[in-house]
Amino acid sequence: MVDPAGMGISGVGPVGPSLPAQAGKGARAGEAGGPSFREILLDSIREVNHLQKEADTAIQGLAAGTVDDVAGVFTAVEKAGLAFRTLMEVRNKLVDAYQELMRMRV
Amino acid sequence: MEILRGMFEVGALPVVERTLSFTEARHAALAENVANAETPGYLRRDLPLDAFRARLIEAMERRRPGEPLVPIDIRKLPAPTWGRSPDSGNLRHDGADVSMEAEQAALAENALLHNAMAALARRLYGTIRAAIQGRSEAS
Amino acid sequence: MLASLDISASGLAAQRTRMDVIAQNIANAHTTRDAEGRPFPYRRQEVLFAPSSGSGPGVSVAEIRPDATPPRRVWDPGHPDAIDGYVAYPNVNVIQEMVDMTLASRSYEANVTAIETAKSMYGAALRILG
């Protein structure tokens, strides 16, 4: 994903502890050959997917009686939920930023 | 619509739903035991949790990716082998075999499982709703 | 889920009837004459439960029947209700009735707990709707 106006992706704002750092990396992506923003996004999606699978497994374990640690299950569910919400927030901010860009008369 | 099946049939959601059906049915059986604790000749009924869980694990193991979870027929669960009053038989002249303490304990345990599953179902549906709406939280 | 409320409610009703009968027994523990004023002792009543028939599971009071135990005869020739010097007192043992009342009360509370549990479960399911 290129950054034509040179604005830097830091316009996304703080949405989690690690993302601003990654956003900073993304701003330099085109220049330094580091991970592209696309890769960072895909990584986040994979992570959310992974956490949701873990949460699913924990829930099924609770129902089946193979898991006794209720707090552990709820923690896994909460983690997956927060990761999902973070991803959605980032996605929405990106969409907003893109739309604003498109509205600019250059 | 295939897309709907994909949303509702995968993962933990069907497992949670089966468990909720079970806990509701079990509550009715336990409530009947409590109501009939002093009815002469009444034998306690139950839907044993361990039998249900065995069926659930079996269904989960048989499920292939993309396939729905098989339904579990609650009425076919075996009869309970615990929970009878220790003084049923000789001591209780009316022949009822309900142990109030065992029923209360079972009611509480069942309610806890039910409420936990309901809270998780709420979460799972909420996530689906949020994803559909394109929001980070369901409204 | 809601059907279980009916089941527990039937338990409440049954225990309530039982408590009423016990209260009547206690109140009449020393009643030596009947409603017409004749010397005839009160007969202890007892309730008989049976599983609900017809409208779904639960319990109901099948019968309120008199206890067949004979009345207590006490030698008291001066008593207005004495017959041949003996007064016939009701076959009510107040201590036994109090114990029974405690048991009925405990059963009543157990059905209340079942209802509260059902309400909690129903509320949790309701919250799935968000």
Side-chain angles (χ1 to χ4, degrees), chain A residues 5-89:
Chain A
M7 298 185 330
I9 311 291
S10 51
V12 171
V15 288
S18 58
L19 277 177
Q22 290 178 344
K25 274 199 292 198
R28 291 189 297 277
E31 306 148 19
S36 73
F37 203 88
R38 181 171 167 275
E39 278 163 22
I40 291 168
L41 213 51
L42 283 178
D43 259 351
S44 306
I45 293 173
R46 255 178 247 124
E47 179 67 10
V48 169
N49 211 38
H50 169 72
L51 287 173
Q52 285 192 329
K53 279 214 175 73
E54 273 193 1
D56 264 7
T57 307
I59 293 173
Q60 290 176 71
L62 189 64
T66 56
V67 169
D68 220 12
D69 176 18
V70 184
V73 172
F74 289 158
T75 306
V77 169
E78 185 66 19
K79 269 190 189 161
L82 286 173
F84 172 77
R85 283 168 58 177
T86 304
L87 187 62
M88 287 305 281
E89 285 287 345

Side-chain angles (χ1 to χ4, degrees), chain A residues 56 60 63-64 78 85 89 92, chain B residues 11 53 60 63 123 134 136:
Chain A
D56 264 7
Q60 290 176 71
E78 185 66 19
R85 283 168 58 177
E89 285 287 345
N92 290 345
Chain B
R53 282 181 158 159
M60 289 196 291
R63 176 169 62 166
R123 261 315 186 95
S136 62

Side-chain angles (χ1 to χ4, degrees), chain B residues 45-117:
Chain B
R45 260 189 65 224
D46 197 2
L47 302 175
L49 183 60
D50 46 10
F52 168 76
R53 282 181 158 159
R55 298 272 168 89
L56 193 60
I57 292 173
E58 202 181 68
M60 289 196 291
E61 277 164 5
R62 274 164 51 184
R63 176 169 62 166
R64 296 275 149 263
E67 272 182 18
L69 192 71
V70 297
I72 294 173
D73 192 349
I74 289 171
R75 290 161 306 179
K76 295 235 185 72
L77 293 176
T81 52
W82 65 268
R84 304 208 126 93
S85 167
D87 36 57
S88 68
N90 288 339
L91 221 48
R92 290 198 60 154
H93 65 278
D94 63 0
D97 80 337
V98 171
S99 158
M100 201 59 100
E101 288 73 25
E103 303 305 324
Q104 300 277 47
L107 274 168
E109 171 199 54
N110 190 54
L112 288 176
L113 178 61
H114 175 95
N115 291 359
M117 287 293 136

Side-chain angles (χ1 to χ4, degrees), chain C:
Chain C
M1 189 78 247
L2 299 180
S4 71
L5 289 178
D6 287 338
I7 297 173
S8 300
S10 77
L12 290 179
Q15 296 302 332
R16 186 45 175 244
T17 303
R18 179 185 178 194
M19 286 194 269
D20 286 347
V21 168
I22 294 169
Q24 182 179 269
N25 288 342
I26 292 174
N28 285 293
H30 303 287
T31 303
T32 50
R33 53 177 71 170
D34 64 11
E36 278 86 35
R38 295 185 298 249
F40 188 79
Y42 170 82
R43 304 259 306 269
R44 177 182 175 270
Q45 303 290 310
E46 56 190 14
V47 294
L48 189 64
F49 296 134
S52 262
S53 51
S55 55
V59 69
S60 63
V61 174
E63 218 191 314
I64 301 178
R65 62 182 182 202
D67 184 340
T69 315
R72 275 183 309 130
R73 287 162 44 91
V74 176
W75 174 255
D76 188 3
H79 195 283
D81 295 320
I83 297 179
D84 300 334
Y86 283 97
V87 181
Y89 280 97
N91 55 348
V92 173
N93 177 346
V94 176
I95 307 294
Q96 181 61 53
E97 297 300 310
M98 298 295 281
V99 169
D100 221 7
M101 180 69 97
T102 308
L103 294 176
S105 174
R106 183 188 78 147
S107 287
Y108 188 90
E109 288 306 320
N111 280 291
V112 170
T113 304
I115 288 185
E116 291 302 314
T117 305
K119 280 163 63 178
S120 156
M121 288 167 70
Y122 192 80
L126 203 57
R127 284 189 283 281
I128 293 176
L129 296 176

